[in-house]
Each structure stands twice: as C-alpha cells, then as structure tokens.
Amino acid sequence: MGTRTQNGADKTYDQTEMDEKLAKEKAINEWLPITSKRNAKWWYSAFHNVTAMVGAGVLGLPYAMAELGWGPGIAILVLSWVITLYTLWQMVEMHEMVPGKRFDRYHELGQHAFGEKLGLYIVVPQQLIVEVGVCIVYMVTGGKSLQKVHDTACSDCKKIKLTYFIMIFASVHFVLSLLPNFHSIAGVSLAAAVMSLSYSTIAWTTALDKGVVENVDYSYKATTTTGKFFNFLAALGEVAFAYAGHNVVLEIQATIPSTPEKPSKVPMWRGVIFAYIIVALCYFPVSLVGYYIYGNSLDDDILITLERPKWLIAMANMFVVIHVIGSYQVYAMPVFDMMETLLVKKWDFRPTFKLRFITRTSYVAITMFVGITFPFFSGLLGFFGGFAFAPTTYFLPCIMWLAIYKPKRFGLSWWCNYICIFFGVLLMVLSPIGGLRSIIVQAKTYEFYS
C-alpha cells in the first residue's frame, strides 16, 4: 500500500517538475527576441525584407556593372534576382513543413536537414559571418554617409575624421539595440524601407537628369588582363552582397501568427513578393541608368559620382544613414537572439534587462571598433559577399530542400536546385579572390585610425 502512495507522490512530483520546466521554457521563449511576439501582419514581412535585402549594396551596383560590362552585368543581375527569389520561396515553404513545429531560426532548419550537431556547425558560423559582417560594413557605411552629409552641406568646414562619424553613428545603436524584439523595431524598419526606395530613386533620376557624360566609355576600367579578371570577380561578390536578405527570413517569418488553416507562409510569401518588386525597382534602374550615364568613370558609391545639386546629394546620404540604422537592427536581432539563447538556456543566466543591456551594448561596441579599424568598404563587400552570402543565399536552402524533400532525380525541382547550387558555389569560390585583392590594393595606402 505504502509503495502505491509513494509512486503516486512521485508521479505528481514528476508532473509538477515537468510543468515547472515547461513554464520556465515558455517564459524564456517569450523573453527571447525572435519568439516573443507572433502577431505580425504580411506588410511587416514586406518591409523587414526590403530593409534586410536592399542594403547599401545598391549604391555599389553601377560600379559592379562597370566591372562586369553590359552583357554579363545584366545577366548576373537578373539571374541573381530569380535564383534568390526561388531560394527565398524554399525557405518560406520549409518554415513549417513539419506539422505542429516551426523552424523559427535558420540553424533550427539546418539541424532538421543535416542533424543536430552538423546542422549547427554548417549554419551558425555562416549566419554569424553574414550578420556580424553586415553590421560591421553598415557601421562603416553609416559613418561614411554621415561624413558625406557633413562635407557636402558645409564644404569649408574643418574636415572631421571618419572614426568620429562612425562613433556618432554607433551611438544611435547603443540606444536602439535595447528594443526587445522584431516587433518593436517595426517602425525603424519601415522608415528604413521607405528610405531605401527614396535614395535609390534620387540616385538614378539625378543621373538621368544630368544626361550622358561627354566621351562616355563603356570599356573595362582596368587596363591589364589580370586587373579586368580580378575586378570581374570582385563585382560578382558585390552583386551577391546586394541580394543577401535570406539570413533573417525565418526569423522574420517567426513573428507571423500561424494556424493549420492559415499557415504563416501565405502572408509571408505575399510580403516577399511585394519586397522583391521593390528590390527590382531599386536595383535595376540604379545599376543600368548609372552605368549608362557614367560608363566606367563611376565611383564605388554612385552618390559620390553625383556631386550636385548639393542639397539633394546631402539629403540622399542622410536617407542612406536612416536606412542603414534600420538594416543594422534587422541583422543584429538574430545575433542578439543567439547570444541571449546561449546565455539563458545553456549557461542558466536569469533573463533580465541587465543581461540584455550588457550583451547588446558590447556587441554594438565590438562592431564599431572593427568598423573603425578596417573601413575599406567595397573590398570588404566583395570578400564577405562571396565567402558567406553566396552559401546562405544561393545554395544552402537548395541543399536543405534536396536533403529533406528528396525530389525525383533529373526532375524539374532536382535540376533547378542543382543549377542554383552550381551558380552559388561558383560565386563562393570566385568572388572572395577578387575582394581580397581589392582589400590588399587599398590597404597599401591605408593608415590605421587616420
């Protein structure tokens, strides 16, 4: 009789322990930035995607065109647009392919496709390189654009070092990074999405208004064959960088509510289509018009090439600053999520504001410091672009799709995926070479903290 009561007591004890554990996990999930609020509408996904995708990369596209030439340039722009839209569709589909479960983070999907351990080792390093890489590059872009606003608006003033502008730009993030989740940065992100369309439009309409430059030259900038070849490779990386919104797609989709009748992929996909139309409206006119007007006399940022009207260029650069503020936050959010998950779930820290404050401000400080130390902007784009953007954007989704769905050999789906993988691997291998070379060339003349 005693044993029976003992067993009953054990069972109730186990049950309470389980309940406590579940309640604790639920509380933690409600505190973490990605899973805390699931009530976003489709247009949230649209502007988060625009903010994540249309980076400052768009301003470098005319320069990339000048290094690629008309034929290859247009082909690569269009191909990238189509392939990345296809891989994005795959990720939206895979978010809820297991009934009753949602893959809220890129690495959770990786773990499902490749196994618990391997999935983490494949996805997390690449995702971190991308997200931290973007944050660093955006520190530099934000600083440079602020510097341009200052120099354009007041050309006789004493020149201020880029270092200080990067610090000014970072100061905004010390405050904004304390916003808890994707939901709370929706306003910042919307402003950023509107800005990206605005400065892209300013860039190409101003160029059109000026008309084609005298003696415009569409031949390659480099004179030597090796120069042409390496520039071509670097330009591939710049294009890859321009289409890199996939690292935050699942995290964005995680904020949309979902039921078996109304899965989250429907509103998410609507948002993605809308975002891609805007991406096309930003990318194609800027790259084609910019190259058509200026030929190979372009700088690696088209806003530098357009010197006047001064007020308009200063305004466009200010728009870039606002946009980059939003982009930084969208890319930092999954990193904050990873750091906080690790601290709270693995190392049993208490989920408090103090913890959040310390982790996030240190992250902003580190990205600021690295940005100040290495501000060679376009080389970094090419290098990071090939190294980590190509896999996460062009072919990791395809490999996961093949691993999970196992489509029929030599069927349409099989071919599509293998073509994307081939194109992506090519990008990954070739563009860091070009990017690294341009970093080396620029670093020769560079002085630290000048």
Side-chain angles (χ1 to χ4, degrees):
M1 185 72 193
T3 17
R4 209 175 281 171
T5 8
Q6 180 69 40
N7 284 353
D10 279 355
K11 264 188 188 152
T12 29
Y13 178 68
D14 284 350
Q15 191 55 45
T16 25
E17 202 177 10
M18 273 299 281
D19 289 349
E20 274 174 16
K21 212 172 168 187
L22 281 173
K24 189 180 166 193
E25 190 137 289
K26 187 167 183 274
I28 289 176
N29 280 339
E30 278 173 8
W31 182 78
L32 288 172
I34 304 291
T35 42
S36 59
K37 271 212 168 99
R38 296 197 194 265
N39 51 2
K41 306 277 183 285
W42 72 266
W43 55 85
Y44 280 45
S45 95
F47 55 72
H48 281 319
N49 273 312
V50 172
T51 305
M53 179 98 39
V54 184
V58 60
L59 299 171
L61 283 178
Y63 182 72
M65 279 291 294
E67 290 175 333
L68 295 167
W70 277 120
I74 294 174
I76 287 163
L77 270 179
V78 175
L79 249 175
S80 296
W81 193 83
V82 173
I83 289 179
T84 52
L85 183 58
Y86 172 65
T87 52
L88 222 160
W89 170 78
Q90 288 180 316
M91 292 190 71
V92 171
E93 285 291 314
M94 289 191 284
H95 177 74
E96 292 177 293
M97 63 198 167
V98 178
K101 186 169 166 46
R102 296 181 70 171
F103 297 111
D104 293 324
R105 299 167 179 87
Y106 206 145
H107 62 86
E108 290 174 10
L109 184 59
Q111 286 172 303
H112 180 71
F114 308 123
E116 285 293 310
K117 272 272 165 65
L118 187 64
L120 276 182
Y121 291 141
I122 291 177
V123 179
V124 173
Q126 296 196 35
Q127 200 182 2
L128 279 177
I129 288 175
V130 171
E131 282 157 2
V132 180
V134 167
C135 288
I136 293 167
V137 168
Y138 280 172
M139 275 285 173
V140 181
T141 315
K144 278 195 168 168
S145 298
L146 273 174
Q147 191 179 35
K148 274 180 245 156
V149 172
H150 173 264
D151 294 351
T152 320
C154 154
S155 42
D156 313 327
C157 299
K158 182 173 175 284
K159 291 278 179 270
I160 300 176
K161 276 199 227 172
L162 177 62
T163 305
Y164 297 123
F165 282 110
I166 296 178
M167 287 176 176
I168 295 168
F169 181 73
S171 63
V172 180
H173 293 294
F174 282 115
V175 180
L176 285 183
S177 63
L178 300 175
L179 290 170
N181 50 31
F182 261 129
H183 201 75
S184 54
I185 59 168
V188 182
S189 180
L190 174 63
V194 173
M195 290 302 146
S196 59
L197 194 58
S198 315
Y199 68 71
S200 304
T201 313
I202 289 178
W204 69 266
T205 45
T206 315
L208 255 188
D209 182 58
K210 293 195 170 170
V212 180
V213 188
E214 277 177 51
N215 310 329
V216 66
D217 181 7
Y218 297 120
S219 62
Y220 290 121
K221 216 174 210 170
T223 40
T224 57
T225 319
T226 38
K228 283 179 194 166
F229 177 67
F230 280 120
N231 283 351
F232 191 91
L233 299 187
L236 283 178
E238 281 162 35
V239 174
F241 184 84
Y243 285 102
H246 292 50
N247 289 280
V248 287
V249 167
L250 294 174
E251 285 83 349
I252 293 169
Q253 193 169 346
T255 60
I256 295 178
S258 183
T259 56
E261 302 77 55
K262 279 190 181 161
S264 65
K265 65 183 180 191
V266 181
M268 179 67 184
W269 182 237
R270 188 187 295 165
V272 168
I273 291 287
F274 186 78
Y276 254 73
I277 292 170
I278 292 188
V279 167
L281 289 177
C282 289
Y283 283 12
F284 293 106
V286 172
S287 37
L288 302 178
V289 172
Y291 183 42
Y292 170 68
I293 301 286
Y294 288 104
N296 64 13
S297 62
L298 282 153
D299 295 283
D300 63 358
D301 175 343
I302 187 167
L303 291 180
I304 302 177
T305 321
L306 305 160
E307 283 159 350
R308 22 195 111 264
K310 276 193 168 175
W311 62 272
L312 191 65
I313 303 307
M315 193 167 82
N317 276 308
M318 203 58 226
F319 287 174
V320 175
V321 173
I322 297 170
H323 174 213
V324 174
I325 288 174
S327 289
Y328 183 97
Q329 290 301 323
V330 170
Y331 275 99
M333 202 51 85
V335 184
F336 295 154
D337 182 77
M338 279 186 208
M339 297 196 300
E340 287 166 9
T341 306
L342 182 75
L343 290 167
V344 173
K345 287 190 174 173
K346 260 276 176 40
W347 298 343
D348 286 332
F349 277 85
R350 288 198 30 243
T352 55
F353 176 74
K354 195 167 149 195
L355 178 75
R356 188 162 268 175
F357 182 81
I358 295 168
T359 46
R360 294 187 177 192
T361 42
S362 1
Y363 176 77
V364 175
I366 292 164
T367 51
M368 173 183 82
F369 180 70
V370 178
I372 290 171
T373 315
F374 308 105
F376 350 98
F377 179 57
S378 65
L380 285 175
L381 283 192
F383 186 66
F384 278 129
F387 200 57
F389 290 108
T392 48
T393 306
Y394 288 82
F395 65 86
L396 249 186
C398 298
I399 295 174
M400 289 179 186
W401 187 270
L402 291 169
I404 295 165
Y405 287 109
K406 301 186 174 55
K408 201 170 99 239
R409 278 190 91 166
F410 307 116
L412 181 65
S413 167
W414 190 89
W415 274 114
C416 287
N417 286 308
Y418 271 101
I419 290 168
C420 294
I421 292 170
F422 173 74
F423 189 69
V425 171
L426 218 62
L427 263 180
M428 181 181 82
V429 177
L430 296 177
S431 54
I433 305 173
L436 194 61
R437 177 177 172 269
S438 38
I439 293 177
I440 294 167
V441 171
Q442 286 174 333
K444 276 180 189 164
T445 55
Y446 177 71
E447 291 160 13
F448 279 101
Y449 305 113
S450 56

